[in-house]
């Protein structure tokens, strides 16, 4: 039975059998998978989009996203554990920010991709 071949994307000529990117260590792939899982919840995507614009404390995220404080805090714990956000105590509040812009790009690109398909 003949095997199907995938069409090459325009501008991406790859000789047959040659990988598009170098193989990555299993540990790197596992960590990338954990990062993507941490970003997978809609509320966490919304939090990243908010933090892309400015650092925010919990009550600002609650107001902006119309989600309860305990739920925002739970999602922030997941994002913090994954290294996506970090918090800095300022008086009685903790202000959260993105660790780096790469993470915002992942989320923005995913949202734009979905919007293009709509």
């Amino acid at each position: 039975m003949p095997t199907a071949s995938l069409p090459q994307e325009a501008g991406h000529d790859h000789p047959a059998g040659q990988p598009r990117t170098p193989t990555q260590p299993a540990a790197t792939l596992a960590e990338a998978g954990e990062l993507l899982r941490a970003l997978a919840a809609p509320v966490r995507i919304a939090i990243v989009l908010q933090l892309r614009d400015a650092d925010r404390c919990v009550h600002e995220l609650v107001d902006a996203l119309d989600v309860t404080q305990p739920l925002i805090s739970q999602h922030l714990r997941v994002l913090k554990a994954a290294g996506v956000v970090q918090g800095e105590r300022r008086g009685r509040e903790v202000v959260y920010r993105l660790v780096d812009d790469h993470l915002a790009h992942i989320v923005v690109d995913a949202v734009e991709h979905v919007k293009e398909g709509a």
Side-chain angles (χ1 to χ4, degrees):
M1 187 174 284
T3 60
S5 63
L6 296 175
Q8 291 186 351
E9 296 177 32
H12 294 351
D13 297 328
H14 297 281
Q18 189 159 355
R20 300 181 118 203
T21 58
T23 303
Q24 299 295 318
T28 300
L29 298 176
E31 286 184 44
E34 289 300 317
L35 174 63
L36 292 173
R37 271 189 283 289
L39 294 171
V43 172
R44 293 194 288 267
I45 291 170
I47 289 170
V48 170
L49 292 173
Q50 287 291 311
L51 296 178
R52 174 179 166 242
D53 293 335
D55 298 353
R56 307 218 193 263
C57 58
V58 172
H59 77 83
E60 291 172 315
L61 293 168
V62 167
D63 292 344
L65 302 177
D66 196 28
V67 178
T68 65
Q69 183 273 325
L71 188 59
I72 289 289
S73 293
Q74 177 185 354
H75 285 294
L76 284 168
R77 276 192 297 278
V78 172
L79 291 170
K80 191 173 180 182
V84 175
V85 302
Q86 68 183 169
E88 178 184 320
R89 183 160 292 283
R90 293 187 190 158
R92 293 177 49 208
E93 296 182 325
V94 177
V95 177
Y96 289 90
R97 67 174 183 84
L98 292 176
V99 170
D100 67 44
D101 287 337
H102 291 107
L103 303 166
H105 289 293
I106 293 168
V107 171
V108 169
D109 287 348
V111 170
E112 289 301 318
H113 176 76
V114 168
K115 287 168 49 178
E116 287 174 359

